[in-house]
Amino acid sequence: MANYSHTWTGLRPGHIDVDTGRGGYDSRRDALGGMATGSTEGAEFSTFISGGYDFHFGHLSFGPTGSLQYTNVYIDGFNERNSLAPLRIHTDSEESLRTDLASEPFIDGSLERSLLSLSLRRSGNTSSSIRPF
């Protein structure tokens, strides 16, 4: 069983996105000493924001863009029953922060009833886990 929600808003230029979810998981497997069963629940929160701008110089456009994404995932502990060697997973959560910066030049022109569009994208991406010490 799971519940999820999603909302976003469009900005000019860019957008904001928020996702949340909660889910439950049940398991059954053949195990040493019988049929092992277990269950757990978890939750997720993620938000994303991006933006950019295009500068126009005749047929040439240049646009820097950037984005930032934060995600937190939580899982409740998991303990199996009815096994001589039950699986146990402790309660935990993980966070991550991701950034992306890019620049994108465009050249637009026409060649005898045809539109020519050339773009080159250069981006850098940084991703890290956030862990308290």
Side-chain angles (χ1 to χ4, degrees):
M1 174 171 54
N3 298 310
Y4 295 96
S5 67
H6 174 85
T7 185
W8 69 277
T9 182
L11 303 173
R12 295 223 183 254
H15 75 277
I16 297 173
D17 187 21
V18 177
D19 295 305
T20 60
R22 180 147 189 89
Y25 311 94
D26 296 319
S27 70
R28 249 178 84 169
R29 67 180 182 96
D30 289 326
L32 185 62
M35 179 65 66
T37 60
S39 64
T40 188
E41 291 186 355
E44 174 189 354
F45 171 78
S46 182
T47 186
F48 178 85
I49 186 169
S50 69
Y53 190 79
D54 286 339
F55 298 97
H56 301 280
F57 305 99
H59 292 292
L60 175 66
S61 297
F62 172 79
T65 61
S67 66
L68 177 70
Q69 180 177 10
Y70 169 79
T71 302
N72 180 297
V73 177
Y74 169 81
I75 185 169
D76 200 0
F78 177 83
N79 292 306
E80 279 186 325
R81 297 172 297 283
N82 305 325
S83 172
L84 295 176
L87 177 63
R88 298 192 194 294
I89 300 173
H90 65 280
T91 298
D92 199 5
S93 68
E94 289 290 327
E95 296 177 294
S96 85
L97 184 64
R98 179 179 173 209
T99 59
D100 184 37
L101 297 173
S103 60
E104 194 165 11
F106 296 98
I107 298 173
D108 290 325
S110 57
L111 297 172
E112 294 183 25
R113 299 184 192 174
S114 298
L115 179 64
L116 173 66
S117 180
L118 172 67
S119 71
L120 173 66
R121 181 173 175 91
R122 171 78 178 126
S123 69
N125 184 317
T126 303
S127 183
S128 63
S129 288
I130 304 169
R131 296 288 296 197
F133 292 98

